[in-house]
Amino acid sequence: MKTNAQLYEDIMDKLDFEPSVNASNITVAVNGEVVVLGGTVGSLFEKHTAERAIKSIAGVKAVANELRVELASQYRVSDVDIANAAVNALKWNSTLPQERPQVAVEGGHVTLTGKVNWWYQREAAEKAIRWLSGVKSLNNQITIQSSLSPKDIKALITKEFHRHAQVDAERIHVEIEGSKVILKGRVGTWLELQEAKRGAWSAPGVVSVVTDELVIG
């Protein structure tokens, strides 16, 4: 296991190496395998990119992202402009159903509501909005309509894990509570955890995936 000092050095090197992140106003605190990010960044894109970059580092098991978004002057736009851009981004996204999600904007903070049939559609709506200029935060409240029985959902997810080259299906136990998927067991890396989570979300009708009991190591 890396010491806090070694992990801190790896994190700072990674942030400096990441071309789309300005690390000059980012603070990092390391407590074992948990990393806390503080300070400010210039966009929501930078905030998510910094978190993703750190999660890829060996030895990091969790990231608390407390970065604040302080928009540069050239990216400050009105809520009306953000709302119009968001509506158009959703309108031109071919992965979304005809009944597009609804958008609400207040002070640069965007909320999405509505219903879709698949997790990838919920994710696509979020990605379409996340990188728009002026967006400080995004609250995705889009719900997924369930159409399969818990037994069917479990069978589909289990088969996907056995197909997936980056997921050790023998070490992951799948439980279903209604349309909520609970993953338990062990994975080797954060990336494997993410692939397992993505595989679970890909089953039709899944409305929630819980990985609190999926241990890295």
Side-chain angles (χ1 to χ4, degrees), residues 158 160-174 184-189 192-193 195-196 214 217:
T158 301
E160 169 60 16
F161 285 173
H162 280 283
R163 286 192 297 264
H164 204 303
Q166 294 176 301
V167 175
D168 186 350
E170 300 301 326
R171 299 208 304 169
I172 301 176
H173 179 63
V174 181
K184 299 180 178 181
R186 303 187 74 86
V187 292
T189 64
E192 184 183 355
L193 186 151
E195 289 302 314
L214 196 56

Side-chain angles (χ1 to χ4, degrees), residues 35-52:
V35 178
V36 180
L37 291 179
T40 62
V41 288
S43 68
L44 190 59
F45 172 80
E46 269 193 88
K47 178 176 179 176
H48 284 273
T49 301
E51 178 179 335
R52 186 172 64 248

Side-chain angles (χ1 to χ4, degrees), residues 90 96-97 99-105 110-116 121-122 125-126 129 138-144:
L90 296 175
L96 296 176
E99 291 296 324
R100 298 298 199 269
Q102 291 78 51
V103 180
V105 185
V110 179
T111 301
L112 296 178
T113 55
K115 295 181 179 180
V116 294
Q121 293 175 322
R122 184 179 188 274
E126 181 170 325
I129 306 303
L138 177 57
N139 181 11
N140 191 345
Q141 295 184 6
I142 297 172
T143 58
I144 300 172

Side-chain angles (χ1 to χ4, degrees), residues 54-76:
I54 290 173
K55 283 181 175 178
S56 69
I57 297 173
V60 174
K61 291 188 177 180
V63 176
N65 192 342
E66 298 179 359
L67 286 168
R68 301 186 313 277
V69 176
E70 292 187 359
L71 298 172
S73 58
Q74 65 267 33
Y75 297 121
R76 294 174 188 167

Side-chain angles (χ1 to χ4, degrees), residues 4 9 63 74 95 107 137 155 167 178 213:
N4 285 358
E9 184 177 356
V63 176
Q74 65 267 33
T95 65
S137 69
V167 175
E213 297 181 60

